[in-house]
Amino acid sequence: MYDVAVIGAGPAGASAALFTAKAGKKTLLLDNDQSITKRALIRNHYGVEEIGGPELVETGIRQAVGCGAELIRDKAVDIVRSGEGFEIRTENGSFSARHVILATGLWTDLAEKIGLKTKPATEPRIKTIIETDGQGRTNIPGIWAAGTVAGVSVHTIITAGDGAKVAVNVVSELNGERYVDHDILQPKE
Ligand SMILES: Cc1cc2nc3c(=O)[nH]c(=O)nc-3n(C[C@H](O)[C@H](O)[C@H](O)COP(=O)(O)OP(=O)(O)OC[C@H]3O[C@@H](n4cnc5c(N)ncnc54)[C@H](O)[C@@H]3O)c2cc1C
């Protein structure tokens, strides 16, 4: 069983998986490669002067996998409660996880199918979003939402940030105390 399954590997999902995997949580990253970010040329992502969407998405996935996340290219089609967590059913198999983070971008079909509360979006060109408490929690305990699908402003720095925020909340819940992930720059020899 995974500690965390992240559905969607765009900026929100890969950023979340990077944090949960780096925190030592067994992390599954499920994605069916339809990220809208791949159409973007990004010049407004703090700390990165200019980057193409495909390169940003690939780099994010590489970072998450580099920290131990397991990437599976597949489409999640259903999520059912099972034992202490959830069974995530995909087009080609199924996986189990204690917590699930939905970072599915424009897509709310899975959220609606499993009974997550959704509402009309307020961001331009976005139709429907998953209702959250602002910290990523949805109406189903253990299922979280991050990024575009959770209603944040549709910009990579914000969706990636939201994925990280929700991941820190999930790790903190698993650890029973607030989690911080800081690495320290070592002085040059
Ligand atoms: C043309 C264009 C230009 C843009 N330009 C900029 C810009 O200059 N600067 C900027 O900051 N932002 C820009 N953006 C917005 C940016 O792409 C988004 O803000 C954002 O980063 C979306 O991130 P996300 O992770 O929420 O969604 P996405 O990147 O769309 O990722 C969602 C992922 O979830 C996967 N998924 C969905 N459902 C399932 C399922 N059931 N099972 C498995 N996987 C699933 C999809 O395949 C996808 O990979 C632009 C967007 C577009 C379309």
Side-chain angles (χ1 to χ4, degrees), residues 7-13 30-44 57 74-77 103-107 109-110 146-149 153-157 159:
I7 302 175
L30 263 177
D31 186 80
N32 64 341
D33 206 15
Q34 302 292 313
S35 169
I36 64 166
T37 308
K38 288 194 165 182
R39 290 166 32 212
L41 172 61
I42 299 145
R43 294 195 185 102
N44 49 8
V57 169
D74 201 345
K75 180 174 183 178
V77 293
T104 52
L106 299 178
W107 293 272
D109 51 328
L110 178 62
T148 304
V149 80
S153 167
V154 188
H155 293 90
T156 56
I157 192 78
T159 52

